[in-house]
Amino acid sequence: MCGKMSEGEFAKRSDSSEEEMSGATVIAQALKTQDVKYMFGVVGIPVTEIAVAAQQLGIRYVGMRNEQAACYAASAVGYLTGRPGVCLVVSGPGLVHALGGMANANMNCWPLIVIGGSSERSQEKMGAFQEFPQVEACRLYSKFSARPSSVEAIPSIIEKAVRSSIYGRPGACYVDIPADFVNLQVNVNSIKYMECCLPSPVSMAETSAVCMAASVIKNAKQPLLIIGKGAAYAHAEEGIRKLVEQCKLPFLPTPMGKGVIPDNHPNCVAAARSKALQFADVIVLFGARLNWILHFGLPPRYQPDVKFIQVDICAEELGNNVRPVVTLLGDINAVTKQLLEQFGKTPWQYPPESNWWKSLREKMKINEAASKMLASKKSLPMNYYTVFYHVQEQLPRDCIIVSEGANTMDIGRTVLQNYLPRHRLDAGTFGTMGVGLGFAIAAAVVAKDRNPVQRVICVEGDSAFGFSGMEVETICRYNLPIVLLVVNNNGIYQGVDRNSWEEMLKFGDATVSVPPMCLLPNAHYEQVMTAFGGKGYFVQTPEELQESLKQSLVDTTKPALINIMIEPQGTRKSQDFHWLTRSSM
């Protein structure tokens, strides 16, 4: 429900024509009126008062250790709730630090509001403290970037920013607040708050296009549905599952499309991903883009004559890289219901005994057997598959999984299962490292409001953890229900063991003798967690991993970090096609 003032509150204020309020309070009330519930940031001159005013009005404020992580957290709130989170930053460098999070939100199509303090208007162009062209800088990273002309204009600018962030293709928006606005006192009667913006309008595809799409699907010999994070954001899970089950179609989730239909559904062909993509003759894209994650839709990853049906909210996305045979422009949930209605008129099922299904199931068995063989290896240090299979055995069904890192994320997505939509967050469209702890904090804050016993499992490579490791203090300060798993191979892609490290140092300083991808061997990251009062575990065997994870999941009173030592040269099983990277390191 939108947080607008009651008529009584307005009347009470209008009784006193002399009553004044600060710009900070106006900002906070404008956000509250637009149903903004969460704010993340790093306070300082000139925005501290805005955070205080937000808290006084019931907006949850989470103080982070770095603006980039704060911006990642605020954007994740937008994805998880459909309403933008706010990232509050100071002027100049503070805003610049947040640009990475803004770019990531825009690339992921997640709603986000960044509010940045800026130099006083009277000091513009004079070399003011932290002066920077913030509105102009943010235009490259956002859908909307503006500075209110007065305190009185703040509510309308914030309403437009929130509306712009969620309408059409969601994205980041920026609101610039001059320092002198924050404490400027204005008459309460001069402020007119905008009503909470309406939910994003629901658009539907043309009926003729829906009929054509259904016809193309019915005539497919080797069909495939690809479910993207756009489908998750659109809450299209019920309709897509009905479509899959009613028509007996195979489906493949993208990394953050996992859970729209449970990963263990019999029609999920994720274990035969390469074969499914390479040999499908008709592919329906539900909120998935033909970008690098899906190899641009081009040969040799796909058949040269494959027919794509695109379902997307954004017209500009339709036809990117490949000319689709049918385009279904509209809200993914609404368009899915249109397809269901069309198939309901003339019921049809893809034959479950077809050669296509048979070949997919055979490939799935082969790949699953290869993964299980790697997981069953008893040698130490452990490999990725051993770690993830033991983790998967204990994960709660409803946990939110956050994952980042190269092999850690790539292998983890194939083993760690998601059963519910919007329960996986990772490096995303922008391939951004460093998002993990910010995403985990956002997920945990939202989870505490919705389901206090829900756990957030944050699976980090040791390199990825280093980007925002000090946010462990944030996790402990707010006592968030997060279990951090640092899969530690002593490096970026690959590292070396302690003996090899010491041998290399004999040939000179580490800056010239140690390969660039190596990190300090056997670093005790778990001590970062214990330093702030959480639980830390250093594990080297499957038994230690099982026990530490069990304890971490049972003890809900403290966050935990499990530092898992694995084979430094460990990698994923051989691939026919590179997915995340072409690097051989």
Side-chain angles (χ1 to χ4, degrees):
M1 183 176 178
C2 292
K4 65 180 182 180
M5 291 185 187
S6 67
E7 291 183 9
E9 289 176 306
F10 276 120
K12 184 178 179 182
R13 287 196 165 175
S14 62
D15 287 343
S16 175
S17 59
E18 302 301 319
E19 186 179 349
E20 293 188 329
M21 64 195 308
S22 69
T25 302
V26 173
I27 294 164
Q29 183 59 61
L31 292 169
K32 180 79 172 179
T33 303
Q34 296 304 320
D35 198 28
V36 170
K37 293 182 172 67
Y38 303 97
M39 179 182 286
F40 304 81
V42 180
V43 295
I45 298 170
V47 301
T48 303
E49 291 84 355
I50 298 173
V52 172
Q55 283 185 318
Q56 290 173 343
L57 289 174
I59 296 173
R60 294 188 182 277
Y61 174 79
V62 178
M64 306 282 282
R65 301 303 297 265
N66 180 277
E67 291 91 354
Q68 198 170 46
C71 208
Y72 293 145
S75 68
V77 161
Y79 174 65
L80 293 169
T81 70
R83 208 72 185 173
V86 169
C87 177
L88 180 69
V89 298
V90 300
S91 51
L95 185 276
V96 171
H97 292 166
L99 292 179
M102 291 181 69
N104 192 66
N106 242 24
M107 295 295 286
N108 275 341
C109 308
W110 290 355
L112 165 71
I113 305 295
V114 175
I115 295 179
S118 59
S119 307
E120 293 191 14
R121 292 171 297 165
S122 63
Q123 298 174 358
E124 282 185 356
K125 314 306 179 187
M126 296 174 64
F129 176 66
Q130 296 184 335
E131 185 175 359
F132 188 71
Q134 297 180 185
V135 175
E136 294 86 345
C138 288
R139 287 200 175 108
L140 185 61
Y141 305 92
S142 62
K143 293 181 67 180
F144 172 76
S145 179
R147 170 193 276 194
S149 58
S150 63
V151 172
E152 288 78 7
I154 287 173
S156 64
I157 291 291
I158 286 179
E159 187 275 341
K160 183 168 184 178
V162 171
R163 177 162 40 87
S164 298
S165 77
I166 60 176
Y167 276 34
R169 170 177 277 180
C173 294
Y174 176 67
V175 178
D176 192 75
I177 303 294
D180 49 307
F181 278 11
V182 176
N183 290 311
L184 185 65
Q185 297 292 309
V186 296
N187 189 294
V188 295
N189 294 322
S190 69
I191 305 298
K192 306 299 180 185
Y193 293 100
M194 306 290 290
E195 287 190 40
C196 183
C197 67
L198 295 170
S200 182
V202 176
S203 55
M204 300 173 73
E206 294 181 16
T207 303
S208 59
V210 174
C211 294
M212 185 182 296
S215 176
V216 172
I217 294 169
K218 288 178 180 179
N219 288 313
K221 291 182 171 56
Q222 297 181 169
L224 178 68
L225 307 186
I226 297 180
I227 303 171
K229 68 175 176 290
Y233 181 81
H235 289 245
E237 53 267 18
E238 183 179 348
I240 291 178
R241 182 166 184 165
K242 282 182 180 178
L243 183 65
V244 164
E245 293 177 347
Q246 182 175 309
C247 296
K248 309 296 184 186
L249 292 165
F251 75 90
L252 175 71
T254 65
M256 274 192 274
K258 283 163 63 69
V260 170
I261 303 177
D263 283 344
N264 63 349
H265 192 282
N267 289 40
C268 180
V269 295
R273 183 180 190 274
S274 293
K275 189 176 190 69
L277 294 179
Q278 191 176 12
F279 294 105
D281 65 346
V282 171
I283 296 178
V284 188
L285 298 162
F286 286 97
R289 291 173 274 179
L290 290 175
N291 55 23
W292 64 277
I293 294 177
L294 288 175
H295 309 272
F296 313 108
L298 299 173
R301 202 63 169 94
Y302 298 82
Q303 292 295 302
D305 57 351
V306 61
K307 296 177 180 178
F308 283 101
I309 298 171
Q310 283 186 276
V311 184
D312 205 286
I313 191 69
C314 178
E316 290 80 359
E317 187 61 42
L318 303 174
N320 273 347
N321 299 321
V322 174
R323 184 182 178 89
V325 66
V326 185
T327 59
L328 299 175
L329 176 63
D331 175 82
I332 296 165
N333 190 31
V335 173
T336 303
K337 290 177 180 176
Q338 287 182 278
L339 284 169
L340 278 169
E341 185 178 345
Q342 184 64 31
F343 281 115
K345 293 176 183 176
T346 53
W348 170 85
Q349 288 185 347
Y350 181 70
E353 68 281 358
S354 67
N355 289 334
W356 177 231
W357 261 122
K358 182 180 178 181
S359 66
L360 288 173
R361 291 187 179 114
E362 286 176 353
K363 186 63 174 176
M364 288 169 67
K365 285 181 180 179
I366 291 169
N367 287 344
E368 286 167 354
S371 295
K372 287 178 181 177
M373 183 185 71
L374 288 167
S376 66
K377 287 189 175 181
K378 303 295 184 184
S379 58
L380 296 176
M382 294 180 283
N383 64 47
Y384 285 102
Y385 292 88
T386 302
V387 168
F388 289 133
Y389 271 94
H390 284 295
V391 170
Q392 172 59 32
E393 286 179 350
Q394 294 196 50
L395 287 188
R397 184 180 176 84
D398 68 342
C399 73
I400 297 173
I401 300 174
V402 179
S403 184
E404 65 170 332
N407 288 326
T408 297
M409 180 175 65
D410 197 5
I411 299 171
R413 75 182 174 91
T414 68
V415 181
L416 302 180
Q417 301 288 289
N418 286 94
Y419 307 104
L420 298 168
R422 298 167 296 282
H423 277 55
R424 178 181 164 87
L425 298 160
D426 65 25
T429 306
F430 212 23
T432 309
M433 291 297 104
V435 296
L437 273 70
F439 282 1
I441 288 167
V445 170
V446 171
K448 284 184 81 171
D449 284 346
R450 293 178 171 180
N451 180 6
V453 299
Q454 188 175 32
R455 306 309 298 275
V456 175
I457 311 298
C458 184
V459 187
E460 300 274 302
D462 50 331
S463 171
F465 175 74
F467 280 82
S468 52
M470 276 301 291
E471 297 301 340
V472 169
E473 187 273 333
T474 308
I475 292 169
C476 290
R477 186 173 4 124
Y478 294 102
N479 197 30
L480 298 175
I482 296 172
V483 178
L484 281 163
L485 306 180
V486 178
V487 184
N488 188 352
N489 70 345
N490 301 335
I492 302 169
Y493 302 118
Q494 294 180 349
V496 297
D497 59 26
R498 172 62 67 178
N499 290 336
S500 299
W501 175 271
E502 291 175 352
E503 282 297 316
M504 288 188 294
L505 291 182
K506 292 178 182 179
F507 296 96
D509 184 88
T511 57
V512 293
S513 64
V514 174
M517 72 288 300
C518 291
L519 300 174
L520 188 69
N522 297 3
H524 282 265
Y525 297 113
E526 78 284 353
Q527 293 183 7
V528 179
M529 179 63 81
T530 58
F532 298 116
K535 296 286 289 183
Y537 303 88
F538 183 82
V539 306
Q540 297 176 291
T541 68
E543 293 76 21
E544 291 172 346
L545 173 58
Q546 289 173 321
E547 183 58 29
S548 60
L549 185 56
K550 179 181 178 181
Q551 291 179 23
S552 300
L553 292 172
V554 169
D555 183 2
T556 59
T557 62
K558 288 183 178 181
L561 190 155
I562 305 173
N563 186 15
I564 307 165
M565 301 307 302
I566 67 166
E567 167 56 47
Q569 300 296 309
T571 184
R572 62 182 306 195
K573 63 183 177 67
S574 61
Q575 301 294 299
D576 295 327
F577 297 89
H578 292 288
W579 180 63
L580 282 174
T581 176
R582 293 186 181 276
S583 173
S584 61
M585 294 295 183

